[in-house]
Amino acid sequence: MIQFLLNQTLVTEQSLDPETTVLNYLRQNQRRCGTKEGCASGDCGACTVTLGRVEAGKMVYETVNSCITFVSSLQGKQLIAVEHLRQGDELHEVQKALATCHASQCGFCTPGFAMSLFTLQKNSEGWRRQEAEQALAGNLCRCTGYRPIIDAARQVCERPQPDSFAQREAQTVAKLMAIHNGEEQELAFNGNRCLLPKSLDRLAELLLAHPEAKLLAGGTDLALQVTQSYKPLPLVIALDQIAALKACREEEQAIVLGAGASLQSCATLLRPHIPAFAQVLERFASLQIRNRGTLGGNIANGSPIGDTPPMLLALNATLTLQRGSQIRTLPLDEFFVDYRKTALQPGEFILSISVPKVTASQHFRAWKVSKRLEDDISAVFGAFMLERDADGRVTAARIAFGGMAATPKRAVHCESALVGKPLTQQSLALACRALEQDFTPLSDFRASAAYRLQVAKNLLRRYHASLTEELTLLEVTDYVQ
C-alpha cells in the first residue's frame, strides 16, 4: 500500500503494479490525460510533473519525468499535474503567460513546459535567465518556440502572484505529515513486488534475504528496462524512504555524500568546495533527471560513460559499503571491475561516498564532450587533478576518463609521465603520447576511436592551458561541446 496526495486529495493504493509509471498512472488510472508521453526515456520533458515534499516544515517542489518515475516514488509526496494548476475558474498565471506570450506552439509539449515553469516560479526569487534556462533545459520544443517560452518564464518570475498552492501550504504540509509513519510499504500485483523499507538496517536485512532484488533509487536508468526494453522487474527494493541514505555532511577534510542523495542536491553541496564538479553537473542530463537520479546510482550501474565516476576517480573518492551488519570502505579505484561489473558483493549496497576537499596546491578541472550542450551523454569525459610544489613540479597526478574504456578509468601512464616534472610543453607532449598506452577506445555511434583519443589529448592540453593561464578564466570555466 502507498499513500500520497493527488493535488489535495489523499490517495491510497492497495493493489497497483509497481512497474506502473507515474505517467501511465495519471493517464490510465486517474484519466488525467494532460500529461503527455513523448519518448518514454526521460529525454523530451513532455511528461514533466511536479512532486512536492515537506522539508523543515515547508513545501519543496521538484520537477520529474513521469515517464520513468515509478508510482512507488509517490509515497508521502504530493503529485501535481497540469490539470491541477487551475485556479478555480481561471488558468494559473503560468498557463496565462504561456498563452499571452504565444508560447504554446503545437501544444503537445506545453503541459511539460507549464509544469517546469510552475516549479521554477516556486523555487526562484526573481528573474535570472540562467536559472530559467536550467529549469527548461529538459523540455524540448519541436516547434522551436524557445524565445516566447523564455518570455513567459520571465513574466512569471518577475511578477509572481499568490496561488492556491501557496494559500494551502500549511494544509498540504499537515496532510503529508499525517501519512508519514514508520510502517514499511509494499506494492504487489501481477507477480511484481516493490518493498519500501525505511531504515538502513531493514534495507540490509531485505537485501541479504533477496540478493537478486533490484535496488530502485532515482530509477532514471532502471526504469528504461521497463519502458524501453519491456523487461519485467519481479522484485524491487525502493530506497526513496530511507532518509539516512540521503544524509550528507561536511567533515574536516572531506564531504561525505549519502548514496541516495540526488545529483541536484550533490551539486548544491559541492559548489562551495569543488565548484568545477558542481558546474559540470549542470550538464548532467536535465534538471528533471538530476532531481531523481542519485550519486550512488550513477556509480553503482557501472556505466563507462557516467559523468560522476571520472570526477570522483580524479578526486580520490572512497566508498562506504554495507552488507548486513558488515561495513567496509573501498577506494573508487577498486570498484569498477569490468563493463557494467563492480566489486559489490551479493547483498551489498553503497552507503556513502567520501570526496576529499581540494587543497590550495591541488588543481581540479573536468570537462564533458558531447554532441549537445545539455541533456546528452558523453562521448568523452575528462577529469584532471595535479598537485604541484613551490618550484612548479608535479608531485601527484590523478587523471581519469569516461568513454575511453569498458569502465571509467584512470590514465596511469599519463599520470606517471607528469609526476616529478615541471608542467611544460615537453612534459605535456609526453603525457599525451602516454594516453595511447592507457586507452584503446572503441568506435560507436557517439564517436570513433580516433576521435576519442584525440579529444582526450586535447582535454589534457586544455587542462595545461588553464593552469598556465593561456586560457582566460571565462574560457576555462566555459562549457565544452
Side-chain angles (χ1 to χ4, degrees), residues 4 6 11 13 24-32:
F4 59 94
L6 183 61
V11 175
E13 291 290 351
N24 288 336
Y25 177 78
L26 282 170
R27 294 180 63 85
Q28 298 171 11
N29 296 63
Q30 293 292 334
R31 299 300 178 187
R32 305 296 177 105

Side-chain angles (χ1 to χ4, degrees), residues 396-415:
R398 295 186 68 90
I399 297 171
F401 286 93
M404 295 288 288
T407 67
K409 182 183 173 185
R410 283 177 61 190
V412 292
H413 290 93
C414 178
E415 294 171 355

Side-chain angles (χ1 to χ4, degrees), residues 129-131 133-138 263-268 270-271 274-290 307-308 311 366 368 370 372-376 381 477-479:
R129 185 183 179 96
Q130 184 181 10
E131 186 179 65
E133 289 176 347
Q134 282 287 311
L136 295 171
L263 291 166
Q264 187 63 18
S265 64
C266 288
T268 301
L270 290 172
R271 188 167 287 110
I274 314 175
F277 195 118
Q279 184 183 37
V280 174
L281 278 186
E282 292 181 359
R283 291 191 57 202
F284 187 110
S286 63
L287 181 58
Q288 291 96 319
I289 296 292
R290 296 195 298 274
D307 287 350
T308 64
M311 291 192 287
K368 173 178 179 173
S370 56
R372 282 200 310 252
L373 182 63
E374 294 161 325
D375 202 6
D376 201 1
F381 193 109
T477 58
D478 196 11
Y479 296 128

Side-chain angles (χ1 to χ4, degrees), residues 100-139:
T100 58
C101 292
H102 307 287
S104 59
Q105 304 296 311
C106 78
F108 189 86
C109 62
T110 302
F113 275 103
M115 298 314 301
S116 288
L117 289 181
F118 166 78
T119 312
L120 169 67
Q121 186 193 55
K122 289 296 180 186
N123 293 329
S124 66
E125 298 178 356
W127 166 251
R128 288 188 290 273
R129 185 183 179 96
Q130 184 181 10
E131 186 179 65
E133 289 176 347
Q134 282 287 311
L136 295 171
N139 296 79

